[in-house]
Amino acid sequence: MKKITGLVLSLFAGTMLYGQTRAQNPEASQITALQRQIAGMQHQFDALDKTIDDLTWSQRLGDAVLVDKVIITGPPPAVIKNPTGQGAKNPVRFSAYVFIPSRIDPSKKYPLLVLPHGGVHSNFNTAYAHIIKELTAQEYVVIAPDYRGSTGYGQGFYQLIDYGGLEVEDTKSCRDYMLQNYDFIDKKRVGILGWSHGGMITLLNLFNYPSDYAVGYAGVPVSDLIARMGYKGQSYRDAYSADYHLGKSADQNVEEYRKRSPAWNAQKLQTPLLIHTNTNDEDVNVLEVEHLIKSLKAEGKKFDYEIYKEAPGGHTFNRIDSYGAKESRMKIYDFLAQYLKPNKKFKDVKELIEASYFPKQGK
């Protein structure tokens, strides 16, 4: 407690002394170093949270689902400070969760779903447990990457973020890993789905690798980074222009922000796609997704979408546990099933609910 109190007082002192030169205040450099140390401690706390959360997967899923955490590789870092350094251009290692229904027959074939998590800096965690239950109850195999920039793996990994860039490649690497390592995956029945930032990664995977996915779902997807920089606050914009992030603000490099925005790449869509958005979304303003929808229509693309009107839950409206959320997820599962043909597709919301509590009772 004394250490924490001391840190807080030091931070307060740093705020009071901010703006003074080191010549006027020789303690300023010490305060800056302390602030960096505290920022590093946050990554340690995130790693601890991650470890604890990982331990609860088996508790949340029971013995109906086999859970594994694997380490695979994606492309080398987007920014390499010392290209001639030892191992500087090595592929980036990252973790991914593999969920396999325990009752499957390995001699048969099963569909695969790739599920990238949401959040600019976040991770895949047990908040998705109910969705994993629902997917595996239908006998989908699922892989969920903690792609570069995810939290819980230290500051270095956090700062590897390549928003709308190599995160997409990491996610594609998960798809390739599953097809190379699990013979019971049907190569022709691979889909991808995600919400928010995960929805953006979903869209960019579909756009960049149209022949590698049979179907995709994007929920409340980040769709237009240029518009997003306009309606978000300055601290949000500053995060993107950090030297380890995109490096420049949207006004300094509008083309780069456009390249990473699904709404500005709608001409690439070739894969069946369902999009959901919500008019009272407090994170991804509906105007972003509306721009995406209009762009897809302008390009003459065939896709499905629904704009929910003031659905309870805002940004997470169809990821929560309400009945309305489950009805919306049934629409997702019905859409995916058209192309992925799961062995135990839900008939209705009743079966979806039962799968969460009686996952071993299949048909």
Short mmCIF file of all heavy atoms in Angstrom, two decimals, residues 3 21 27 36 44 85 93 106 111 133 142 144 152 157 166 199 220 235 242-243 302 304 311 315 321 342 354 357 363:
data_model
loop_
_atom_site.label_atom_id
_atom_site.label_comp_id
_atom_site.label_asym_id
_atom_site.label_seq_id
_atom_site.Cartn_x
_atom_site.Cartn_y
_atom_site.Cartn_z
N LYS A 3 3.81 1.59 -1.26
CA LYS A 3 4.38 1.77 -2.60
C LYS A 3 3.37 2.41 -3.53
O LYS A 3 3.69 3.30 -4.32
CB LYS A 3 4.84 0.43 -3.16
CG LYS A 3 6.08 -0.12 -2.48
CD LYS A 3 6.50 -1.42 -3.15
CE LYS A 3 7.76 -1.96 -2.49
NZ LYS A 3 8.18 -3.23 -3.13
N THR A 21 11.10 22.80 -17.48
CA THR A 21 12.29 22.20 -18.09
C THR A 21 13.08 21.46 -17.04
O THR A 21 12.95 21.70 -15.85
CB THR A 21 13.17 23.29 -18.72
OG1 THR A 21 13.66 24.13 -17.69
CG2 THR A 21 12.39 24.12 -19.73
N GLU A 27 14.05 17.02 -11.03
CA GLU A 27 13.29 15.81 -10.73
C GLU A 27 12.41 15.37 -11.90
O GLU A 27 11.84 14.27 -11.89
CB GLU A 27 12.40 16.03 -9.51
CG GLU A 27 13.14 16.21 -8.19
CD GLU A 27 13.61 17.65 -7.99
OE1 GLU A 27 13.16 18.51 -8.77
OE2 GLU A 27 14.42 17.88 -7.09
N ARG A 36 6.83 5.93 -16.90
CA ARG A 36 7.06 4.81 -17.80
C ARG A 36 7.00 3.48 -17.06
O ARG A 36 6.48 2.49 -17.56
CB ARG A 36 8.41 4.96 -18.52
CG ARG A 36 8.43 5.99 -19.64
CD ARG A 36 9.62 5.78 -20.55
NE ARG A 36 10.88 5.96 -19.84
CZ ARG A 36 11.55 7.10 -19.79
NH1 ARG A 36 11.06 8.18 -20.39
NH2 ARG A 36 12.69 7.19 -19.13
N GLN A 44 1.91 -5.80 -16.85
CA GLN A 44 2.04 -6.93 -15.93
C GLN A 44 0.68 -7.31 -15.34
O GLN A 44 0.36 -8.50 -15.21
CB GLN A 44 3.01 -6.57 -14.81
CG GLN A 44 4.44 -6.34 -15.29
CD GLN A 44 5.36 -5.90 -14.16
OE1 GLN A 44 5.05 -6.06 -12.99
NE2 GLN A 44 6.50 -5.34 -14.53
N GLY A 85 19.41 -6.27 -36.84
CA GLY A 85 19.56 -6.94 -35.55
C GLY A 85 19.28 -8.43 -35.65
O GLY A 85 18.59 -8.90 -36.56
N ARG A 93 5.40 -14.36 -33.23
CA ARG A 93 4.70 -15.45 -32.54
C ARG A 93 3.49 -14.88 -31.81
O ARG A 93 3.59 -13.85 -31.16
CB ARG A 93 5.63 -16.15 -31.56
CG ARG A 93 6.79 -16.90 -32.19
CD ARG A 93 7.56 -17.67 -31.12
NE ARG A 93 8.22 -16.77 -30.20
CZ ARG A 93 9.49 -16.39 -30.29
NH1 ARG A 93 10.24 -16.83 -31.27
NH2 ARG A 93 10.01 -15.57 -29.38
N PRO A 106 -13.35 -37.95 -35.23
CA PRO A 106 -12.21 -37.44 -36.01
C PRO A 106 -12.12 -38.01 -37.42
O PRO A 106 -11.39 -37.48 -38.26
CB PRO A 106 -10.99 -37.86 -35.17
CG PRO A 106 -11.51 -38.07 -33.80
CD PRO A 106 -12.92 -38.58 -33.98
N PRO A 111 -17.04 -28.23 -40.10
CA PRO A 111 -16.77 -26.85 -40.52
C PRO A 111 -15.94 -26.10 -39.48
O PRO A 111 -16.00 -26.39 -38.28
CB PRO A 111 -18.17 -26.25 -40.66
CG PRO A 111 -19.00 -27.03 -39.70
CD PRO A 111 -18.45 -28.43 -39.69
N LYS A 133 -19.90 -21.89 -26.66
CA LYS A 133 -20.82 -22.98 -26.35
C LYS A 133 -21.82 -23.18 -27.49
O LYS A 133 -22.09 -24.31 -27.92
CB LYS A 133 -21.59 -22.69 -25.07
CG LYS A 133 -20.84 -22.95 -23.78
CD LYS A 133 -21.78 -22.69 -22.61
CE LYS A 133 -21.09 -22.87 -21.27
NZ LYS A 133 -22.03 -22.60 -20.16
N VAL A 142 -13.69 -24.08 -33.70
CA VAL A 142 -13.43 -22.64 -33.66
C VAL A 142 -11.97 -22.37 -33.32
O VAL A 142 -11.40 -23.04 -32.44
CB VAL A 142 -14.33 -21.94 -32.61
CG1 VAL A 142 -14.09 -20.43 -32.61
CG2 VAL A 142 -15.81 -22.25 -32.87
N ALA A 144 -9.63 -18.90 -32.30
CA ALA A 144 -9.74 -17.48 -31.94
C ALA A 144 -8.35 -16.92 -31.64
O ALA A 144 -7.75 -17.30 -30.64
CB ALA A 144 -10.66 -17.31 -30.73
N GLY A 152 -2.14 -8.59 -22.50
CA GLY A 152 -1.88 -9.78 -21.71
C GLY A 152 -0.59 -10.50 -22.06
O GLY A 152 -0.27 -11.53 -21.47
N PHE A 157 4.69 -6.96 -27.22
CA PHE A 157 3.66 -7.52 -28.09
C PHE A 157 2.55 -6.50 -28.32
O PHE A 157 2.03 -6.37 -29.43
CB PHE A 157 3.10 -8.79 -27.46
CG PHE A 157 2.21 -9.58 -28.39
CD1 PHE A 157 2.75 -10.36 -29.38
CD2 PHE A 157 0.83 -9.54 -28.25
CE1 PHE A 157 1.94 -11.08 -30.25
CE2 PHE A 157 0.01 -10.26 -29.10
CZ PHE A 157 0.56 -11.04 -30.10
N LEU A 166 -1.34 -6.12 -40.45
CA LEU A 166 -0.85 -7.47 -40.22
C LEU A 166 -1.68 -8.25 -39.22
O LEU A 166 -1.55 -9.48 -39.12
CB LEU A 166 0.62 -7.42 -39.78
CG LEU A 166 1.58 -6.87 -40.85
CD1 LEU A 166 3.00 -6.87 -40.35
CD2 LEU A 166 1.48 -7.66 -42.15
N GLY A 199 -14.99 -7.43 -36.29
CA GLY A 199 -15.79 -7.33 -37.51
C GLY A 199 -14.99 -6.71 -38.64
O GLY A 199 -15.09 -7.12 -39.81
N VAL A 220 -21.46 -5.01 -35.87
CA VAL A 220 -21.08 -3.62 -35.53
C VAL A 220 -19.62 -3.35 -35.92
O VAL A 220 -18.82 -2.90 -35.09
CB VAL A 220 -21.33 -3.32 -34.03
CG1 VAL A 220 -22.81 -3.29 -33.73
CG2 VAL A 220 -20.65 -4.34 -33.10
N SER A 235 -7.68 12.12 -27.58
CA SER A 235 -6.86 11.05 -27.01
C SER A 235 -6.94 9.79 -27.87
O SER A 235 -5.95 9.06 -28.01
CB SER A 235 -7.31 10.75 -25.58
OG SER A 235 -8.66 10.30 -25.55
N ALA A 242 0.51 7.27 -32.58
CA ALA A 242 1.72 6.92 -31.82
C ALA A 242 2.73 6.26 -32.75
O ALA A 242 2.36 5.62 -33.74
CB ALA A 242 1.36 5.98 -30.68
N ASP A 243 4.02 6.41 -32.43
CA ASP A 243 5.06 5.92 -33.33
C ASP A 243 5.01 4.41 -33.52
O ASP A 243 5.43 3.90 -34.57
CB ASP A 243 6.45 6.35 -32.84
CG ASP A 243 6.76 5.87 -31.42
OD1 ASP A 243 5.88 5.28 -30.78
OD2 ASP A 243 7.89 6.11 -30.96
N LYS A 302 -23.66 -8.35 -53.69
CA LYS A 302 -24.77 -9.05 -53.06
C LYS A 302 -24.36 -9.40 -51.64
O LYS A 302 -23.34 -10.05 -51.41
CB LYS A 302 -25.09 -10.32 -53.84
CG LYS A 302 -26.29 -11.09 -53.28
CD LYS A 302 -26.56 -12.34 -54.10
CE LYS A 302 -27.74 -13.12 -53.51
NZ LYS A 302 -28.02 -14.37 -54.26
N ASP A 304 -26.11 -9.43 -47.21
CA ASP A 304 -27.27 -9.27 -46.34
C ASP A 304 -26.91 -8.36 -45.18
O ASP A 304 -25.76 -8.34 -44.73
CB ASP A 304 -27.72 -10.63 -45.80
CG ASP A 304 -28.29 -11.53 -46.88
OD1 ASP A 304 -27.49 -12.18 -47.57
OD2 ASP A 304 -29.51 -11.59 -47.03
N ALA A 311 -31.60 -1.07 -30.32
CA ALA A 311 -31.63 -2.36 -29.64
C ALA A 311 -30.93 -2.26 -28.28
O ALA A 311 -29.84 -1.68 -28.18
CB ALA A 311 -30.94 -3.42 -30.49
N HIS A 315 -23.58 -1.24 -28.27
CA HIS A 315 -22.50 -1.85 -29.05
C HIS A 315 -22.48 -3.37 -28.92
O HIS A 315 -22.10 -4.07 -29.85
CB HIS A 315 -21.16 -1.26 -28.59
CG HIS A 315 -19.99 -1.68 -29.41
ND1 HIS A 315 -19.93 -1.50 -30.78
CD2 HIS A 315 -18.80 -2.26 -29.06
CE1 HIS A 315 -18.76 -1.94 -31.23
NE2 HIS A 315 -18.08 -2.43 -30.21
N ASP A 321 -26.73 -11.60 -23.02
CA ASP A 321 -27.53 -12.78 -22.71
C ASP A 321 -29.04 -12.56 -22.81
O ASP A 321 -29.80 -13.46 -22.44
CB ASP A 321 -27.18 -13.29 -21.31
CG ASP A 321 -25.75 -13.79 -21.21
OD1 ASP A 321 -25.38 -14.65 -22.03
OD2 ASP A 321 -25.00 -13.32 -20.35
N PRO A 342 -23.42 -27.04 -40.71
CA PRO A 342 -23.03 -27.73 -39.47
C PRO A 342 -23.90 -28.96 -39.24
O PRO A 342 -25.06 -29.00 -39.66
CB PRO A 342 -23.28 -26.67 -38.40
CG PRO A 342 -24.35 -25.81 -38.97
CD PRO A 342 -24.08 -25.75 -40.45
N GLU A 354 -30.92 -24.13 -24.79
CA GLU A 354 -30.63 -25.43 -24.20
C GLU A 354 -29.16 -25.81 -24.36
O GLU A 354 -28.57 -26.44 -23.48
CB GLU A 354 -31.53 -26.50 -24.83
CG GLU A 354 -32.98 -26.41 -24.42
CD GLU A 354 -33.86 -27.42 -25.14
OE1 GLU A 354 -33.34 -28.06 -26.09
OE2 GLU A 354 -35.04 -27.56 -24.78
N TYR A 357 -26.87 -24.85 -21.54
CA TYR A 357 -26.99 -25.52 -20.24
C TYR A 357 -26.89 -27.04 -20.33
O TYR A 357 -26.54 -27.69 -19.35
CB TYR A 357 -28.33 -25.13 -19.59
CG TYR A 357 -28.42 -23.64 -19.29
CD1 TYR A 357 -29.06 -22.79 -20.16
CD2 TYR A 357 -27.81 -23.11 -18.17
CE1 TYR A 357 -29.13 -21.42 -19.91
CE2 TYR A 357 -27.86 -21.75 -17.91
CZ TYR A 357 -28.51 -20.92 -18.79
OH TYR A 357 -28.56 -19.57 -18.54
N LYS A 363 -28.81 -33.80 -30.80
CA LYS A 363 -30.01 -34.40 -31.41
C LYS A 363 -29.81 -35.88 -31.60
O LYS A 363 -28.72 -36.35 -31.84
CB LYS A 363 -30.28 -33.74 -32.74
CG LYS A 363 -30.53 -32.25 -32.63
CD LYS A 363 -30.71 -31.65 -33.99
CE LYS A 363 -30.75 -30.15 -33.95
NZ LYS A 363 -30.80 -29.51 -35.23
#
